[in-house]
Amino acid sequence: MSPPPSVSCTPAGDHVWEAAVEKPAMEAPRRTIIHVDLDAFFASVEELLDPAITGKPIIVGGDPQGRGVVSSASYAARAFGVRSAMPMSMALHLCPQAIVRRGHYREYGRYSRQVMAILREYTPLVEQISIDEAFLDVTGCERLWGHAEGLARTIQQRILEGCHLPCSVGVATSKLVAKIASGLRKPRGLVIVPPGEEAAFLAPLPVEDLWGVGEVAARRLHDLGLHTIGALAAIPKEALILAFGNQGATLYDHARGIDNRPVALEGRRRSVSNERTFARDLTDGEELQKHLLALCDQVAARLRSLGLQGRIVGLKLRYHDFTTVTRRATIDRPTDLSPTILQQARSLLHATWRTGTPVRLLGVSVSGLVEGPARQLGLFGDDDGRWMRLSRALDDIRNRYGEQAIRRATFLEPPGEDEGPEDTSPEL
Amino acid sequence: MKVSCLQENLARGLSIVGRAVGARTTLPVLSNVLVATDDSRLKLSATNLELGINCWVGAKVEQDGAITVPARLFTELVNSLPPDRIDMELQTRTQTLNLRCGRFEASIKGIDAQEFPIVSAGEDGRAVSVEAETLRDMIAQVTLAAATDESRPVLTGVLTAITPTGITMAAADGYRLSVRSTGLTVPPEAQARVIIPARALQELARISADEQEPIKIIISPSRSQAFFRLSNIDLVTQLIEGTFPDYEKIIPRSRTTRTVLNVGEFLKAVRLAALFARDSNNVLRLKVEPAGDLAPGRVVVSATSSEVGSNVSELEATIEGEPIEIAFNARFLADVLGVLDAAEVALDTIAPTSPGVLTPVGGESFLHVIMPMHLNR
């Protein structure tokens, strides 16, 4: 099969990254990973639903009067400085003429499924990591679909023609590099990092671009004078392990573009987890309890959105000295409800935490997953059913009006810097 | 102490008391087994303070005495010895048990028998007697519904009511309820209503596997312990304090559909479906279709998992009442069908969200209630 024609279907922003470096010997069998990321997805769908607003600044997000935040902004709006997760009030201050939409989440889901279906036509090895992003492992597909660059272009074109949605694509030998590559030339970008050139490709980029480098880690790296991934890559592995513990070894690999995580199949998800590194170490039990509650709420909501329930609750504690403890408990039936998860997580915390020891990171996971949404009814009253209905209602409100639209009274104090957990990330 | 016995008798005795040995205990003597002479027999005893078991094995006693030795070491040692005579002698001064069997010799350091808690057996006068086989059946049918997680301790127990008309046992884990009763030939001297740990009853069923004689049940006057007396074994268990839920209220008194199925066929279909239900929260669907003008009544058993596929079985059934579609946990159904002592089972249902009731056809003494699974979305 000949490679597909490329010139006629090349969107703007193509870029094949080249670097004059010697190729290091490859040890693991070389993979070809494609990362597909839909551009300004919610805003793009809004344009499809209402063609009259196409090209105008569009913001999808919560209530501008309250504490709503931006969940998606069109590129026309981004030109004014509007960014995701920015408070709506600030976004409208920057771009008063923006068209604000509360979000048609059912439509987003519908378009997302269409896109994912297109991706699965090319390989069954598709890992959807969020509503608008997915990895494809196309290793060895050259014979079938031509070389990776052509395939990436074909996919980009298919999504544009079939769903009328723009996307950016990154091609590399690992998930890490492919994801960074797709984010580099948005919108409608196509960035290919040839095998062996990962480290050189990453070198000039800021350390924040690396997966797993959050606010806290970035600040520590900056304090050490490390601002680019290239600078980080020059640090010996031992020194990074000394400074960052186990995470140091991962940083060392990632800075070189080494990331062996496989593209995980749909439905093979083994756990849903959420963890939070605190800007300052916590020593107060009540504060920890509050964060634990927030984490359980998030994990439970994530389980529900995935239609999964789990039987094993895990707790992860990292102390100030980076020693990390994980504990798990099994419950008698699968759940996707926060109170049930919290009950287990609390007793694990109670049994695990050495009271007063500074805690750097707290995490909650649920594994032993089964497909929902069936629920065992109880003989003695149906508390779970009431929680279920309440949780569903909360999920609906948050989907429509933003995470902050409705909150537990526990979280009603003025938000501090630690408020709320980070986004849930799948643990594979 | 100087005593001789056969290796196979000692090994069997140790396996009987073994489950009562304390694990991870802070009291070292509880991980030991008591070896004591008792008239012309050897008494073995173990307890974890919740559950205690005494077992007597035939022996030739030359000199009385008692010692406790580490249960695990002693059991593994005896199990490894040839099927021969074992001679044991206690060195009182050093509290060491010397043991000889054929050409093997060992000496085990023990702890003074005085430190071992007395596993007492109650008085026969208050006992009620139940055929061993009947009691084993009751235990199997009821304990499967007891809770295994400790969040509500009373639900890990079996409510046992001794009344002038008989004994009734009931257990419920919050999702299902098992009730089994049996008549008594001799009315009991005293009535009782206590909660016996399901684990202790399962242990009783295990150690009474070979028992031919009726088993005596004695509830201590203080209502804190239950004793079970077999020919050569005593089992003592602490009782669970608390109030057992009023299970009578849970049992539905009406039905809209009665489905009568062959137990063996139904169980086979459930086990097949369970393979496919494993990844989807064990959901098994039953579609009950009463007989039409031409078609006989049938039940369609099915399970689906998006990952592994799906499975459908069709069963003939005698159906009275309305058609219904209802979902149950496949494991719960397999559990109860596995202990039904009848050729046919009747499943009574009212609605997809109301409890289902299973009873053996032709038997009034067993009843099992299962809450269905609710399919959202």
Side-chain angles (χ1 to χ4, degrees), chain A residues 223 305 354:
Chain A
D223 287 348
S305 76
R354 304 190 296 266

Side-chain angles (χ1 to χ4, degrees), chain B residues 67-105:
Chain B
I67 181 70
T68 76
V69 285
R72 212 173 137 192
L73 174 72
F74 190 53
T75 307
E76 286 176 9
L77 173 72
V78 170
N79 285 340
S80 318
L81 291 173
D84 218 331
R85 201 185 72 191
I86 298 178
D87 302 314
M88 290 181 283
E89 192 170 357
L90 175 66
Q91 302 292 327
T92 319
R93 194 177 53 79
T94 56
Q95 294 288 313
T96 303
L97 184 68
N98 292 328
L99 185 145
R100 187 180 300 126
C101 177
R103 299 168 65 184
F104 296 91
E105 255 191 71

Side-chain angles (χ1 to χ4, degrees), chain A residues 267 333 371 373 375-376 379-380, chain B residues 174-175 306-307 371 374 376:
Chain A
R333 69 205 182 280
E371 293 166 16
R375 188 167 54 81
Q376 175 66 51
L379 273 177
F380 315 116
Chain B
Y175 311 108
S306 67
E307 200 159 305
M371 282 308 287
H374 182 56
N376 307 295

